[in-house]
Amino acid sequence: MAAREYDLVVIGAGPVGENVADRAKQGGLSVAVVESELVGGECSYWACMPSKTLLRSGAALRAARDVDGARQAVTGSVDVAAALRRRDAIVHDWDDTSQVDWLRGAGIDLVRGHGRLTAEREVTVTDPGGEEVVLAARHAVVVSTGSAALLPDIEGLKDAAPWTSRDATGVRDVPSSLAILGGGVVGCEMATLFASFGCAVTLIARSGLLGSMEPFAGEAVVEALRNAGAEVRTGVDVETASREPDGDVVLTLSDGSQVRAAEVLVATGRVPRTGDVGLESVGLAPGSWLDVDDTLRVRGFDWLYAVGDVTHRALLTHQGKYQARAAGDVIAARARGGDVDDAPWGRHVATADHSAVPQVTFTDPEVASVGHTEASATAAGLGIRVVDYDLSWVSGASTHADHYQGRARAIFDERRRVLVGATFVGPDVAELLHSATISIVGEVPIDRLWHAVPAYPTVSEVWLRWLEELGR
């Protein structure tokens, strides 16, 4: 079988794979992308876009109820059917025609089917009908297959047919009750969503919620979930699970209690989707995370790259796309014979995913964070100053809502006199995050921040309050 030759072959056509392919194409390379599902990937159809679309209905309703004059116009709860219709529109009814058209317009070839590495610089693609095509890469192969939900080793859980996040965001019939395992971002967002749909939610987490963030963030989400009618159980493990004859799932917890729900959602972590991409053909372990350098090249190879979740650096779409832009540029530059390993301008490297990762958790209240927490900065040996501020004291908060509640924490490195971490908790704080990200990445000196004047009256005035507190 004659191989089809390209400069670059990308396995996985999610937003990360699309970006690396596009950057390489703009750099003058011929590119093919391989996809076994939908072009646009997890984010477009089962994760970021549908979940945030579904969450928005409840958030908008809560915002209206917190403003006198709008509150009186609210006469009901979330219209679940309408929210699901809006979700369907956002995901184009799980039709990727527009994404395929974009690839075609960009001059990137799409090969449908399951792609596996079968030799150095070689990918064999098996289409749904069993036909195979071999793609040969002159310069590089990129693995961009993402991650999948981790199914924890709990007796009976697999046989209970648990939901993953895909089932939750693709829901057609909202269950009367839902048990959620895991207190991370997915678990907290889905608890917020299904509570807004009128579902009886029980969230079970071994420790507190949002454990990698500042403790006050998880505490605020717990309070809000309970106020919304959800039950939050922490400090317990699920020991067994069973699907009962009546269709319900029964979970037995480590304290001897039981939780019964119509469905159970597993949100306890992620695993790399590398179990069947042919890693063994090049001496790597199937199912492993792929260790890459800052040019996203897999260590030990001069032709194999990995981007996005499979690198385990930062499992977020925006960070994966950032990695993809760097990888696409570096692959094109190396193909031209350029020396980019020590590029002083840093264009061809991905470093922001080490210490400046922005993330928004779309719960009620929202949680937006970037860089260090107090705990991580202390563990890193930094000499820090922590500045907390109650967002309800900012003038913009009083115009935003009648009962605004929120908190903002800044972590300053006292030796370098720069911001190294920020966490915001409150309504619509996602829009505060990028200013903090720019400050951290740009290492803007505190003395210069005094000249970045926040508009009045906005919640962004917290920046001025931070500096005033810092100066005391």
Side-chain angles (χ1 to χ4, degrees), residues 54 60 105 207 229 239 249 303 322 331 334 390:
L54 289 169
S207 54
E239 295 191 336
V249 176
W303 59 273
Y322 160 73
I331 291 167
R334 284 175 173 155
D390 187 329

Side-chain angles (χ1 to χ4, degrees), residues 67-385:
V67 179
D68 201 14
R71 182 183 308 118
Q72 290 78 2
V74 176
T75 58
S77 57
V78 170
D79 185 322
V80 175
L84 296 180
R85 284 197 303 272
R86 184 168 183 262
R87 182 271 319 272
D88 293 347
I90 289 293
V91 301
H92 303 286
D93 292 308
W94 290 275
D95 183 318
D96 64 357
T97 300
S98 61
Q99 300 273 37
V100 172
D101 288 344
W102 177 85
L103 281 179
R104 185 179 298 113
I108 299 165
D109 285 358
L110 170 64
V111 183
R112 295 275 195 185
H114 181 73
R116 301 183 81 255
L117 293 165
T118 44
E120 182 175 320
R121 294 185 173 87
E122 180 183 279
V123 176
T124 298
V125 184
T126 305
D127 70 18
E131 296 295 318
E132 291 186 347
V133 60
V134 177
L135 308 178
R138 298 183 189 93
H139 297 292
V141 173
V142 174
V143 178
S144 178
T145 49
S147 64
L150 167 68
L151 186 66
D153 186 16
I154 295 172
E155 181 183 342
L157 181 61
K158 184 177 181 180
D159 292 335
W163 281 8
T164 67
S165 55
R166 282 193 172 198
D167 298 294
T169 59
V171 65
R172 292 293 186 186
D173 298 309
V174 175
S176 59
S177 54
L178 177 66
I180 301 174
L181 310 187
V185 171
V186 173
C188 290
E189 288 187 346
M190 291 302 98
T192 302
L193 169 62
F194 281 88
S196 77
F197 281 178
C199 179
V201 172
T202 302
L203 179 59
I204 304 166
R206 179 180 301 170
S207 54
L209 305 192
L210 304 178
S212 64
M213 302 180 189
E214 297 286 8
F216 65 83
E219 292 164 3
V221 173
V222 169
E223 181 180 1
L225 284 173
R226 287 175 173 159
N227 288 342
E231 182 179 2
V232 180
R233 302 283 302 274
T234 59
V236 291
D237 290 312
V238 178
E239 295 191 336
T240 65
S242 63
R243 179 76 67 171
E244 299 297 290
D246 64 3
D248 282 357
V249 176
V250 174
L251 306 174
T252 301
L253 309 185
S254 55
D255 62 2
S257 64
Q258 290 188 328
V259 172
R260 176 181 287 266
E263 300 291 350
V264 57
L265 165 62
V266 175
T268 52
R270 308 288 292 179
V271 294
R273 297 181 68 182
T274 59
D276 190 23
V277 294
L279 294 184
E280 66 279 4
S281 71
V282 295
L284 295 173
S288 62
W289 301 102
L290 296 177
D291 183 27
V292 297
D293 62 22
D294 284 343
T295 67
L296 288 308
R297 187 159 59 179
V298 178
R299 297 185 194 278
F301 297 83
D302 64 0
W303 59 273
L304 183 61
Y305 293 74
V307 290
D309 284 9
V310 293
T311 69
H312 208 223
R313 286 162 67 115
L315 278 66
L316 297 162
T317 297
H318 48 276
Q319 292 298 135
K321 291 165 71 173
Y322 160 73
Q323 293 172 0
R325 292 189 292 271
D329 285 351
V330 78
I331 291 167
R334 284 175 173 155
R336 294 191 300 267
D339 181 9
V340 299
D341 293 323
D342 300 311
W345 57 90
R347 179 184 176 195
H348 297 297
V349 295
T351 55
D353 51 12
H354 296 314
S355 60
V357 177
Q359 180 169 12
V360 179
T361 306
F362 290 86
T363 45
D364 174 28
E366 284 183 351
V367 178
S369 60
V370 60
H372 279 294
T373 61
E374 180 180 7
S376 69
T378 301
L382 301 181
I384 59 172
R385 173 82 181 274

Side-chain angles (χ1 to χ4, degrees), residues 21-29 328-329 332-333 335-336:
D22 187 43
R23 296 294 283 213
K25 181 65 180 179
Q26 291 184 42
L29 303 190
D329 285 351
R336 294 191 300 267

